[in-house]
C-alpha cells in the first residue's frame, strides 16, 4: 500500500487528509493519507526513514520554507518562490531517496483567478508576506500582472504598509489578494485593514481563506460592488496538482 501525508504543526485544520482518503476510497486506489504532526523540522527525515512506502508529502505551515534545505531538488517556479508545499519522494536503488520540492499553490491560484481577470486588471496588492504570498506573486507575474506586497511594517522596497494605501494606489491596483490568516474562523469579525471605501466595482478581491465561506474581507468588497472569491477552489486545484506531481 502506498502512503502519502502532510507535515506541519499544528494540523488541526487539515483539508488534505479527508480529501485524499476519500479519493482513494472512491477510486479504489490502494493507498492511505496520514498526518505527520512534527514539532520541529528536524524530525522531517525521521518521517521519510520510518515510512518506506511513503511516496509523497504535502507541506503546510510552518515548514514550507524550513523544509527546503532537506530537499535534493526544486522545480523552477518553486525555486523562485522559495516555498514548498509538495514533495515527491523517489525511491532509488540501495535504499537511497531523492526528494524533489514543488509548489502547487502557484498552480491552484493561477488556475482559480485566471477566469475572473478582465483587461483592466493590470496591477495587484498582495496582503501579507508569508509563503503563500510568494506563490501568489509569481502566479500573478506569470499571468502578466504586476504586484506589490502590503505589510504592517515596511520590510522591503517592493512593499507598502496599510497606511500607505492612498486613493491613487487603490485605484491603480484593482486586484487585492488576502494571503494573511486575518478573518479565519473563529475570528470571523476581523479583516485586513485596507480602505474598503476606496474599493470599486472594477476591483477583484480574492481571499485565500475558505473558512468561513464568505469572509469579512469579501463582504466589505461585495458591499462596494467588487467581484469576490474565496480560496476553496484554489485548495481543490492545488490538491489535483499535487496528485499529478506525485505520479508524473
Amino acid at each position: 500500500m502506498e502512503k502519502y501525508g502532510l507535515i506541519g504543526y499544528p494540523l488541526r485544520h487539515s483539508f488534505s487528509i479527508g480529501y485524499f482518503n476519500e479519493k482513494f476510497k472512491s477510486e479504489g486506489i490502494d493507498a492511505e493519507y496520514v498526518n505527520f504532526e512534527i514539532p520541529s523540522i528536524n524530525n522531517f527525515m525521521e518521517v521519510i526513514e520510518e515510512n518506506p512506502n511513503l511516496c509523497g508529502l504535502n507541506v503546510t505551515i510552518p515548514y514550507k520554507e524550513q523544509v527546503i534545505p532537506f530537499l535534493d531538488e526544486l522545480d523552477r517556479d518553486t525555486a523562485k518562490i522559495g516555498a514548498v508545499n509538495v514533495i515527491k519522494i523517489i525511491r532509488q536503488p540501495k535504499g537511497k531517496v531523492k526528494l524533489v520540492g514543488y509548489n502547487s499553490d502557484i498552480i491552484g491560484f493561477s488556475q482559480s483567478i485566471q477566469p475572473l481577470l478582465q483587461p483592466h486588471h493590470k496591477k495587484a496588492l498582495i496582503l501579507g508576506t508569508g509563503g503563500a504570498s510568494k506563490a501568489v506573486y509569481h502566479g500573478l507575474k506569470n499571468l502578466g500582472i504586476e504586484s506589490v506586497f502590503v505589510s504592517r511594517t515596511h520590510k522591503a522596497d517592493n512593499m507598502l504598509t496599510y497606511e500607505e494605501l492612498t486613493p491613487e494606489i487603490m485605484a491603480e491596483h484593482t486586484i487585492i489578494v488576502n494571503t494573511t490568516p486575518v478573518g479565519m474562523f473563529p475570528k470571523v469579525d476581523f479583516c485586513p485593514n485596507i480602505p474598503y471605501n476606496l474599493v470599486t466595482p472594477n476591483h477583484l478581491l480574492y481571499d485565500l481563506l475558505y473558512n468561513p465561506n464568505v469572509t469579512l474581507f469579501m463582504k466589505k468588497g461585495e458591499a462596494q460592488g467588487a467581484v469576490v472569491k474565496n480560496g476553496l477552489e484554489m485548495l481543490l486545484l492545488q490538491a489535483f496538482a499535487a496528485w499529478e506531481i506525485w505520479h508524473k
Side-chain angles (χ1 to χ4, degrees):
M1 177 186 284
E2 291 184 347
K3 185 183 285 188
Y4 301 86
L6 172 70
I7 61 164
Y9 190 85
L11 293 177
R12 289 190 299 269
H13 305 292
S14 170
F15 159 84
S16 299
I17 189 168
Y19 170 81
F20 280 109
N21 281 322
E22 183 59 37
K23 176 183 175 68
F24 299 154
K25 183 179 177 182
S26 64
E27 297 183 21
I29 298 169
D30 187 26
E32 66 172 340
Y33 191 101
V34 298
N35 282 348
F36 297 102
E37 190 173 54
I38 55 174
S40 166
I41 194 60
N42 294 322
N43 303 120
F44 171 68
M45 290 309 297
E46 292 173 21
V47 171
I48 304 297
E49 291 160 6
E50 292 172 7
N51 296 275
N53 58 339
L54 192 61
C55 302
L57 285 168
N58 290 121
V59 184
T60 189
I61 53 176
Y63 301 135
K64 288 185 178 186
E65 293 155 317
Q66 294 180 35
V67 77
I68 290 175
F70 294 88
L71 306 180
D72 300 296
E73 191 178 309
L74 299 178
D75 90 321
R76 189 173 60 186
D77 272 339
T78 305
K80 292 177 188 172
I81 295 165
V84 166
N85 76 328
V86 179
I87 298 171
K88 183 173 184 177
I89 301 168
I90 303 168
R91 304 285 174 178
Q92 298 178 316
K94 298 181 180 178
K96 289 187 177 181
V97 177
K98 183 178 180 181
L99 304 174
V100 186
Y102 298 85
N103 192 302
S104 66
D105 282 341
I106 189 173
I107 301 167
F109 173 74
S110 301
Q111 291 178 349
S112 178
I113 199 171
Q114 190 168 20
L116 302 175
L117 297 177
Q118 301 295 328
H120 62 268
H121 291 137
K122 291 180 168 49
K123 292 187 178 183
L125 297 174
I126 300 173
L127 312 182
T129 57
S133 73
K134 297 173 184 177
V136 167
Y137 177 87
H138 286 282
L140 290 170
K141 186 176 180 181
N142 289 348
L143 293 168
I145 293 167
E146 294 179 38
S147 301
V148 177
F149 293 100
V150 182
S151 177
R152 284 174 294 180
T153 57
H154 196 278
K155 301 174 184 175
D157 290 338
N158 184 30
M159 194 171 293
L160 297 168
T161 63
Y162 288 92
E163 290 74 22
E164 293 172 324
L165 297 179
T166 62
E168 293 75 20
I169 287 171
M170 289 293 290
E172 192 177 2
H173 296 77
T174 51
I175 300 171
I176 305 174
V177 184
N178 177 36
T179 72
T180 78
V182 178
M184 184 169 67
F185 181 84
K187 297 183 179 180
V188 298
D189 296 326
F190 293 85
C191 60
N193 186 28
I194 66 169
Y196 292 94
N197 61 306
L198 299 177
V199 172
T200 70
N202 279 341
H203 279 84
L204 165 58
L205 270 61
Y206 191 111
D207 201 332
L208 263 58
L209 302 178
Y210 53 89
N211 184 15
N213 190 46
V214 181
T215 62
L216 186 56
F217 169 75
M218 293 167 63
K219 287 178 184 176
K220 284 176 172 277
E222 275 186 318
Q224 297 293 115
V227 174
V228 301
K229 189 177 181 78
N230 71 13
L232 184 59
E233 185 185 47
M234 172 183 166
L235 191 70
L236 292 168
L237 289 169
Q238 66 91 4
F240 298 158
W243 184 250
E244 289 178 0
I245 287 165
W246 292 329
H247 290 88
K248 70 178 182 180

